Amino acid sequence: MNKPEIAKGIPFEKWDLDLLVDYVLKFHHRNTRKYGAEIYNLLLDVDSRHHELDKVTDHFRNSIQDLDNHCMKEEQVLYPYIMEMYNAHEAGQHIAPFHCGTIQAPIQMMMMEHDDEMSRHERIAELTNNYKAPEGAEPQYQQVLDRLREFRDWLLEHIWVENEVLFPMALRMERENQ
């Protein structure tokens, strides 16, 4: 996956693992929940007058629900172990293996969920003519489509940071811990 435009100029590859985890948690997870709910409410309002957005609204509702579950799995299971592993590594210590042996399986699951979300957001782009409101539509229509595009762009960064930087870094650290 190529580095998304939104992430260009930010040297994520040079960041320490703990900083990457903090960034994902405090920026992406927090904003996914906050802005996902805001956008969904705006979408419901516009959709009430423009029923051609019904499928978009359904896809986005499913996305924010699935992303919330995805974030909870990372927050409650994967990231706490990664942080323990990082702290032990920094202190020159070893920690017990992950409860299911390795973090490879949960990381693969997270990456599959990322693929599913990107497919869903590609479908939203198709359904909205690449986020372009119909000729003569009210300003709120284009505003909600702009917010959907922005959400997708931040999601791309989130996925890239995890798939291309954070997860490979954590897997390398786990191998070194064994």
Side-chain angles (χ1 to χ4, degrees):
M1 173 181 202
N2 292 330
K3 192 171 189 176
E5 197 62 38
I6 198 166
K8 293 206 170 146
I10 303 173
F12 292 113
E13 304 88 343
K14 295 179 181 179
W15 290 13
D16 287 337
L17 187 58
D18 65 330
L19 181 57
L20 288 167
V21 169
D22 282 347
Y23 178 73
V24 168
L25 291 172
K26 292 179 178 150
F27 183 78
H28 286 290
H29 287 201
R30 183 182 298 164
N31 289 341
T32 294
R33 290 177 173 121
K34 177 182 178 182
Y35 297 118
E38 285 178 14
I39 294 166
Y40 180 64
N41 287 328
L42 292 171
L43 194 52
L44 284 173
D45 181 51
V46 174
D47 186 24
S48 70
R49 296 181 301 282
H50 300 276
H51 294 290
E52 69 273 13
L53 290 173
D54 286 350
K55 287 184 181 177
V56 172
T57 303
D58 288 343
H59 282 301
F60 192 72
R61 180 194 64 241
N62 292 337
S63 177
I64 60 174
Q65 288 172 348
D66 288 349
L67 284 168
D68 185 54
N69 288 331
H70 174 88
C71 290
M72 282 194 304
K73 287 185 264 186
E74 288 179 345
E75 293 162 1
Q76 295 174 3
V77 180
L78 184 59
Y79 283 170
Y81 182 78
I82 288 174
M83 289 304 296
E84 284 180 41
M85 187 173 59
Y86 173 80
N87 291 330
H89 181 266
E90 289 297 299
Q93 301 170 342
H94 289 283
I95 64 168
F98 193 60
H99 67 272
C100 60
T102 177
I103 57 173
Q104 182 67 47
I107 285 176
Q108 285 177 330
M109 177 60 70
M110 296 299 103
M111 292 174 75
M112 286 183 354
E113 290 176 5
H114 290 163
D115 291 345
D116 291 345
E117 283 310 308
M118 286 318 305
S119 294
R120 185 177 284 152
H121 284 268
E122 287 169 10
R123 182 69 180 131
I124 289 171
E126 289 170 14
L127 289 168
T128 60
N129 192 28
N130 202 28
Y131 306 100
K132 291 183 185 149
E135 185 85 20
E138 62 190 272
Q140 292 87 350
Y141 196 121
Q142 187 59 56
Q143 289 168 354
V144 76
L145 295 184
D146 291 344
R147 296 285 308 273
L148 282 168
R149 181 189 308 114
E150 182 180 49
F151 187 91
R152 189 262 338 254
D153 290 347
W154 287 114
L155 182 61
L156 276 170
E157 183 190 270
H158 174 125
I159 290 170
W160 185 85
V161 166
E162 287 186 336
N163 287 6
E164 303 298 325
V165 183
L166 195 155
F167 292 160
M169 198 181 284
L171 288 165
R172 276 192 305 276
M173 191 171 287
E174 182 183 52
R175 281 191 300 274
E176 291 171 8
N177 184 52
Q178 295 175 348

